[in-house]
Amino acid sequence: NGGKVTKWADASGFGNHATNATYRPTVVSGAVNGHAAVKFVHSSQQMLFLPTTTFQGMSSLSNSTVFIVNKWSGTTTSVGLFGQWKSSDSTPNCHFEVKSGGVLRLRIADVDLESVSGILTQGQWATVAGVSDMSRESRYVSIFKDGRQILSREGSVGTTSFSRADRLYIGNSCDIPTGSSQRGYDGEIAEVLLFNRALTMDERMGIELYLANKYGTAGATPQLQTNFSLSGPGETLVLTQPQGVVEDS
């Protein structure tokens, strides 16, 4: 407890460990439901770096799903949970951030989403998720919090290749190292799950329920997406997901 994190080991077997030799966050034992967490201090510029050109198992964030179990400290500046940055070219930049007032922001290159205020609560553990799906005709980026969809937008994200990035972060989202513009996280992160594709709704909800049970947080619940009735035979019914994808007909 209180020790500096030299390496946050990747449990996938790919060896994509998160490290930092200088501005290292600390371990908090028993932080949430008996599980440890990593504490990041914004003013100390604490963050962890993931590999970029040598990242194994995926090569970009264009088709991806990320889950982050976190507790936000309530800072009044933008702080990064996760991100990708290239200083000389903003094209592949990606940011998963918390802004003042508990606003969630998810930018995947050319698609930038920003929620209303009050989505995250200071000092309260929550699971946030970001999904980018460029594999379908209807392309979209979505934000979720504790299993509830917060925002979704159609659009093509463009280039997000890791090989074009200078940095891939946990606990930061922007390579501005000092001053009021730096976006190092302020709070605790217990778990980060990164998938190399957009998960289906059932897959996503299953993982959210697993994380809710593990960490004792609010879980995913079924969402009423539409309400309809059939008045007679011969009518055509098409069920469409919120992002515009036909689910059944």
Side-chain angles (χ1 to χ4, degrees), residues 118-137:
I119 300 302
L120 288 191
T121 301
Q122 178 181 356
Q124 180 175 304
W125 284 96
T127 298
V128 298
V131 179
S132 178
D133 191 348
M134 299 295 110
S135 65
R136 304 172 185 266
E137 183 177 347

Side-chain angles (χ1 to χ4, degrees), residues 88-157:
S88 61
D89 179 10
S90 64
T91 303
N93 289 354
C94 302
H95 316 291
F96 204 172
E97 300 173 338
V98 188
K99 302 182 70 174
S100 178
V103 171
L104 273 177
R105 178 196 180 198
L106 176 61
R107 173 193 173 189
I108 305 292
D110 294 341
V111 178
D112 198 341
L113 306 181
E114 191 168 302
S115 76
V116 297
S117 62
I119 300 302
L120 288 191
T121 301
Q122 178 181 356
Q124 180 175 304
W125 284 96
T127 298
V128 298
V131 179
S132 178
D133 191 348
M134 299 295 110
S135 65
R136 304 172 185 266
E137 183 177 347
S138 179
R139 302 174 177 183
Y140 68 94
V141 175
S142 302
I143 303 174
F144 299 85
K145 185 249 182 173
D146 290 332
R148 181 171 64 93
Q149 182 174 286
I150 303 301
L151 197 60
S152 185
R153 181 174 299 162
E154 289 190 22
S156 179
V157 300

Side-chain angles (χ1 to χ4, degrees), residues 218-241:
T221 55
Q223 302 174 53
L224 178 64
Q225 303 293 355
T226 188
N227 188 12
F228 57 85
S229 63
L230 300 179
S231 59
E235 295 189 21
T236 299
L237 177 65
V238 178
L239 300 180
T240 305
Q241 296 180 17

Side-chain angles (χ1 to χ4, degrees), residues 23 40-48 72-73 75 77-82 96-98 169-187 189:
Y23 299 109
F40 298 82
V41 178
H42 174 81
S43 60
S44 299
Q45 304 167 47
Q46 295 173 346
M47 65 193 78
L48 293 170
W72 172 59
S73 69
T75 52
T77 57
S78 295
V79 292
L81 289 159
F82 178 80
F96 204 172
E97 300 173 338
V98 188
Y169 300 102
I170 294 175
N172 193 18
S173 61
C174 178
D175 201 16
I176 300 174
T178 59
S180 60
S181 296
Q182 69 107 344
R183 298 182 199 167
Y185 193 57
D186 206 85
I189 297 177

Side-chain angles (χ1 to χ4, degrees), residues 7-8 18-19 31 39 45 50 57 61 64 107 115-116 122 134 149 151-152 159 162 166-167 174 193 196 208 236:
K7 180 175 74 174
W8 195 349
T19 62
K39 182 178 181 179
Q45 304 167 47
L50 291 164
L61 294 172
S64 63
R107 173 193 173 189
S115 76
V116 297
Q122 178 181 356
M134 299 295 110
Q149 182 174 286
L151 197 60
S152 185
T159 301
F162 293 160
D166 296 328
R167 303 284 194 188
C174 178
L193 297 175
N196 62 0
E208 286 162 341
T236 299

